[in-house]
């Protein structure tokens, strides 16, 4: 079972997932990075470009999902270095710091809330995030092309690409595809017919949507909806 709530860290989400007897559910690309805790381990989930199925036996997970583009400043690592990876936090932060955090979370009644506190402390020590990634997300979500987004932000296409690699882990074209996938899922889950979903989400047609969903999620849209 999966549960989430808004975090006290602006734009972030705190979530927990308990083992599902039916098997692990795929984690879909969403433009975000997560700070994770599971079975005594602290990890960072890099931004995904394809569906990720957690390996190993079912386990309890807790996480903080950062708003797209904000995690690199909090974690101290460019997003492209962690793309499509799950990395031990001890590979990024001092080992002694991570040991203290593991002990702290292991003793917590609510690991998700404790993990949120860690993220808030980290954010307090790094200052406000760069506003550009949020502006990129807003522009692409509104349907602007990558070129139009670069123009609207007053930066060249090459600079936009570099900034996106650092903030999101991939270029703006990939980010636009992932955000479009998320729009389509939201519409389809509300019962919007697939053809209308494709048009409203920004695909050329339903066939285009089907290809993109398979490429990014690894399965048809109907199967995703059936999995919940």
């Amino acid at each position: 079972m999966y549960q989430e709530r808004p975090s006290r860290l602006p734009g972030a989400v705190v979530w927990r997932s308990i083992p599902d007897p039916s098997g692990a559910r795929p984690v879909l690309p969403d433009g975000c990075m997560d700070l994770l805790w599971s079975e005594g381990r602290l990890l960072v989930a890099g931004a995904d470009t394809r569906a990720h199925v957690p390996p190993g036996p079912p386990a309890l997970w807790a996480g903080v999902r950062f708003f797209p583009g904000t995690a690199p400043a909090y974690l101290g690592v460019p997003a492209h270095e962690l793309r499509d990876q799950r990395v031990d936090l001890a590979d990024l932060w001092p080992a002694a710091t991570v040991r203290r955090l593991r002990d702290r979370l292991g003793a917590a009644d609510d690991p998700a809330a404790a993990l949120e506190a860690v993220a808030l402390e980290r954010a307090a020590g790094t200052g406000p995030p760069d506003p550009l990634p949020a502006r990129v997300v807003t522009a692409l979500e509104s349907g602007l092309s990558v070129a139009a987004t670069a123009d609207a932000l007053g930066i060249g296409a090459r600079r936009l690409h570099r900034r996106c690699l650092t903030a999101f882990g991939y270029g703006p074209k990939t980010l636009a595809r992932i955000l479009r996938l998320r729009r389509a899922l939201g519409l389809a889950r509300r019962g919007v017919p697939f053809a209308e979903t494709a048009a409203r989400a920004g695909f050329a047609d339903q066939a285009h949507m089907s290809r993109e969903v398979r490429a990014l999620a690894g399965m048809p849209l109907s199967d995703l909806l059936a999995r919940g």
Side-chain angles (χ1 to χ4, degrees):
M1 182 177 65
Y2 175 86
Q3 298 173 327
E4 67 175 40
R5 63 170 174 82
S7 172
R8 289 176 288 155
L9 182 65
V13 171
V14 180
W15 60 269
R16 65 192 299 269
S17 177
I18 62 176
D20 187 338
S22 65
R25 296 173 183 267
V27 179
L28 302 184
D30 58 8
C32 301
M33 295 172 60
D34 293 52
L35 181 61
L36 307 172
W37 180 89
S38 180
E39 308 293 336
R41 295 180 65 198
L42 278 164
L43 306 100
V44 174
D48 293 320
T49 60
R50 56 186 179 274
H52 170 81
V53 178
L60 174 68
W61 288 86
V64 174
R65 180 173 303 115
F66 298 102
F67 185 81
T70 61
Y74 301 144
L75 301 175
V77 59
H80 62 81
E81 293 188 7
L82 304 181
R83 182 175 53 235
D84 291 319
Q85 298 183 65
R86 270 61 180 166
V87 177
D88 281 312
L89 187 61
D91 292 338
L92 307 176
W93 292 4
T97 299
V98 176
R99 281 197 299 271
R100 289 194 295 270
L101 292 177
R102 280 201 300 261
D103 292 343
R104 176 177 166 183
L105 268 77
D109 293 331
D110 184 349
L115 199 62
E116 179 186 27
V118 171
L120 286 165
E121 292 163 9
R122 186 74 178 184
T126 58
D130 178 2
L132 182 68
R135 295 172 64 195
V136 172
V137 171
T138 298
L140 294 175
E141 279 279 25
S142 73
L144 288 184
S145 67
V146 171
T149 295
D151 288 342
L153 299 180
I155 61 177
R158 290 184 179 180
R159 186 180 174 204
L160 174 63
H161 186 82
R162 290 195 300 269
R163 296 289 294 273
C164 284
L165 286 178
T166 299
F168 304 107
Y170 31 63
K173 288 184 179 180
T174 299
L175 177 62
R177 292 176 64 207
I178 289 170
L179 294 175
R180 187 174 57 190
L181 169 69
R182 306 303 298 188
R183 290 197 299 275
L185 285 172
L187 291 165
R189 284 170 176 156
R190 295 199 297 270
V192 177
F194 284 4
E196 183 180 347
T197 289
R200 290 173 58 181
F203 294 96
D205 51 32
Q206 187 174 338
H208 180 211
M209 180 177 71
S210 296
R211 292 193 299 271
E212 283 288 276
V213 171
R214 281 183 176 273
L216 293 169
M219 64 184 70
L221 180 57
S222 57
D223 288 1
L224 284 175
L225 297 179
R227 287 171 177 259

